[in-house]
Amino acid sequence: MNIILLGAPGSGKGTQAEKLAKYFDIPHISTGDILRNSTDPRIQNILSEGKFVSDDEMIELVKKRLAKEKNGFILDGFPRTIAQADAIKSYPSKVLYFKIDDELVKNRLSLRRTCNSCKAIYHLENKPPLHESKCDLCGGILTQRQDDKDVVIAERLRIYHEKTAPLIAYYAKEGSLVEIPSDGTPEETFKKILARFGL
Ligand code: ADP
């Protein structure tokens, strides 16, 4: 089974991808995680400004990775443009579109903190850590992602609406779009997804 996750930054793609990967036992491929692990300063610069890495680079990276996956995948953060979607047309996929308002995105991202060590995610109001700045799970240090600063969030949303939102109509036309309201808790959203799979 191939699953593509589509939605604004902060719509919960990463969180649901983890859950789906465990449930269906297929790999979670997050282009954001792959890029954040890059040591190339040019890439880090693009990320910290909330811009997109070029289509050519992203397509090459993802195609190489998908060629290795024989039993399906969960793609999180790709495609983000029509050109990227065209590039993986040969992989029939279900597309889960996480629907959410910009205001909620801004709240989620600005209050998000991530563990430097085990990558666990917190929200300062909805899922606060027991001790400020310390991970409940591993004791690692909690930090704010560079691109979760307010100005960068605004830029990510602007680019999302310009470049990525057209993919909603693209996949709807193809008949592969499944819309999931994504304003609830992670558990509620996951239940909605499973229900749409008939599970
Ligand atoms: P979010 O969905 O919360 O914005 P991601 O972790 O998916 O975060 O991506 C972080 C950043 O990585 C993006 O803002 C962008 O700079 C870069 N990136 C990830 N995937 C792509 C892609 N498919 N095309 C271009 N840039 C990408």
Side-chain angles (χ1 to χ4, degrees):
M1 172 163 38
N2 303 330
I3 302 175
I4 290 172
L5 304 185
L6 183 63
S11 59
K13 299 187 298 292
T15 306
Q16 298 303 323
E18 289 289 327
K19 290 178 178 289
L20 287 163
K22 267 197 202 125
Y23 191 93
F24 290 116
D25 194 23
I26 47 178
H28 167 199
I29 303 171
S30 157
T31 48
D33 284 347
I34 295 172
L35 296 171
R36 272 185 292 279
N37 280 329
S38 158
T39 50
D40 183 343
R42 185 183 55 88
I43 298 277
Q44 292 309 328
N45 207 27
I46 295 174
L47 258 62
S48 66
E49 289 180 355
K51 310 278 191 219
F52 279 1
V53 172
S54 77
D55 280 341
D56 286 350
E57 276 177 278
M58 291 311 300
I59 289 168
E60 195 193 328
L61 186 154
V62 169
K63 276 190 144 179
K64 266 195 197 145
R65 179 65 205 271
L66 293 189
K68 291 186 204 151
E69 303 302 343
K70 300 289 172 236
N71 299 313
F73 53 76
I74 296 162
L75 205 42
D76 159 18
F78 187 101
R80 263 180 153 90
T81 63
I82 301 275
Q84 293 181 10
D86 283 340
I88 53 161
K89 262 193 169 156
S90 57
Y91 293 92
S93 308
K94 238 192 196 351
V95 180
L96 303 183
Y97 161 50
F98 295 130
K99 196 172 159 59
I100 188 171
D101 288 342
D102 281 8
E103 283 315 306
L104 190 52
V105 162
K106 287 180 195 160
N107 170 290
R108 281 189 183 172
L109 295 183
S110 60
L111 296 178
R112 171 162 75 178
R113 296 293 181 272
T114 311
C115 172
N116 273 354
S117 169
C118 75
K119 309 293 169 203
I121 295 170
Y122 297 84
H123 183 281
L124 294 184
E125 279 167 9
N126 305 340
K127 196 191 169 203
L130 290 172
H131 307 282
E132 208 191 321
S133 321
K134 208 169 119 189
C135 179
D136 294 355
L137 302 176
C138 78
I141 299 166
L142 303 184
T143 53
Q144 184 173 38
R145 251 169 64 172
Q146 271 299 330
D147 59 348
D148 282 347
K149 313 264 183 219
D150 288 342
V151 264
V152 188
I153 293 171
E155 178 64 359
R156 284 159 70 200
L157 276 169
R158 188 188 69 73
I159 301 185
Y160 167 77
H161 287 294
E162 183 189 322
K163 302 257 173 71
T164 310
L167 290 176
I168 302 163
Y170 176 105
Y171 285 119
K173 201 169 152 206
E174 210 183 80
S176 38
L177 196 80
V178 177
E179 188 174 303
I180 311 282
S182 191
D183 50 358
T185 65
E187 290 71 29
E188 284 163 0
T189 304
F190 189 58
K191 275 192 196 142
K192 287 178 195 157
I193 297 173
L194 292 184
R196 296 299 298 268
F197 278 109
L199 296 166

